[in-house]
Amino acid sequence: MRSPAIRTSTKRRRALLACGLGAVLVAVGACSTTDPGSGSPTGDGGTLERIKADKKINVGFANERPYAYRENGQLVGEDPAIHGYIFDQIGGVTLEPHLFEFGSLIQALNSKRVDVVTAGMFITPERCEQAAFSNPVYVATTSLLVRRGNPKGLTDYASVANGDARLAVMNGAVEVDQAKGSGVPDDRLQIVADQQAGLDAVRSGRADAFALTSISLRALAASDDSIEVSEAFVPVVDGEEQLGAGAAVFRRSDTELREAFNEKLAELVQSPKWLELVEPYGFTEAERPDPELTAEQLCQG
């Protein structure tokens, strides 16, 4: 999912543990929209103590499958599964969801409307200037959503740049800069608000492809025979591979909260429980993050 490029080597994509199957649905209270949470002071270093006392944490999400979305009145997806498990381990804390557009999530975080972004957001140097990221929760490759039969034979950004294809990319997402860095001209980029808008652009013919993480597009195309997903690829910009790594996002002042999250995350990503939590949402061992890969490394670019 999102904003300027992440530079990381393919060696960090190694799968770790062979794990069992399972399915976890994170049940939380009814999702609100953009109403603030408890109104308690946040971002002053006391957020960890407050959420332990309240037994809840306000989380921002963007309704994107398979990362975080509403289903039957519950917040579900890869991020709620991971975050819900970790915050429960921290102190029996449950998730209180608040819906925002993806591009507004960090603003909502810093304005104290939520305490953490639970949206599968990629770690990038630019975002690291605005907020603090946990270590990676997952890694991801990129694909293109195209009409059935892939009439223009699109396989990656280069194939788009070298022809006349129009590419849909999501506002605020890493794919915008990756496409530009790969030579796709601005006049053939269509900026869309969300996943549904990207899907609609391809269906209607306004765009020839929609670029997003392979995991997202597989989920989006699962029940639509009119479209298909290209083979996964790792974008290369300026000679560097752009393998995305998604993480939880915190205010920069909430160091204690982020450290508590990272401590539990470190245990989780090396255990069978990680796959058990995320596999129902289409994630595999290929998306398990390397425990040696840190937010600090990715923030440096």
Side-chain angles (χ1 to χ4, degrees), residues 171-249:
N171 185 34
V174 294
E175 290 78 21
V176 177
D177 292 283
Q178 288 175 352
K180 290 181 179 181
S182 299
V184 181
D186 288 349
D187 62 2
R188 287 199 278 118
L189 283 179
Q190 181 175 348
I191 308 298
V192 298
D194 52 31
Q195 289 181 341
Q196 186 61 47
L199 173 61
D200 291 343
V202 174
R203 280 174 171 167
S204 67
R206 297 193 308 275
D208 299 296
F210 175 35
L212 208 59
T213 61
S214 304
I215 299 166
S216 297
L217 294 182
R218 289 197 302 265
L220 201 58
S223 59
D224 192 330
D225 292 336
S226 70
I227 54 176
E228 63 182 74
V229 179
S230 74
E231 290 292 324
F233 64 96
V234 177
V236 177
V237 177
D238 296 330
E240 297 284 348
E241 290 189 330
Q242 313 291 302
L243 181 66
V249 194

Side-chain angles (χ1 to χ4, degrees), residues 93-131:
V93 177
T94 60
L95 309 183
E96 291 285 329
H98 301 272
L99 176 63
F100 295 87
E101 288 188 0
F102 186 84
S104 300
L105 283 166
I106 290 181
Q107 180 182 356
L109 175 70
N110 287 331
S111 63
K112 303 181 182 179
R113 304 183 79 177
V114 297
D115 301 310
V116 63
V117 172
T118 299
M121 186 176 284
F122 279 4
I123 306 168
T124 71
E126 291 76 10
R127 288 182 180 146
C128 292
E129 295 177 359
Q130 305 174 59

Side-chain angles (χ1 to χ4, degrees), residues 39-73:
S40 302
T42 58
D44 58 0
T47 307
L48 178 59
E49 289 73 20
R50 173 173 58 79
I51 68 167
K52 285 182 176 180
D54 292 348
K55 299 298 181 184
K56 64 181 181 181
I57 183 169
N58 297 307
V59 304
F61 74 107
N63 217 36
E64 291 185 86
R65 294 174 182 266
Y67 300 102
Y69 57 99
R70 287 187 287 196
E71 186 172 83
N72 300 322

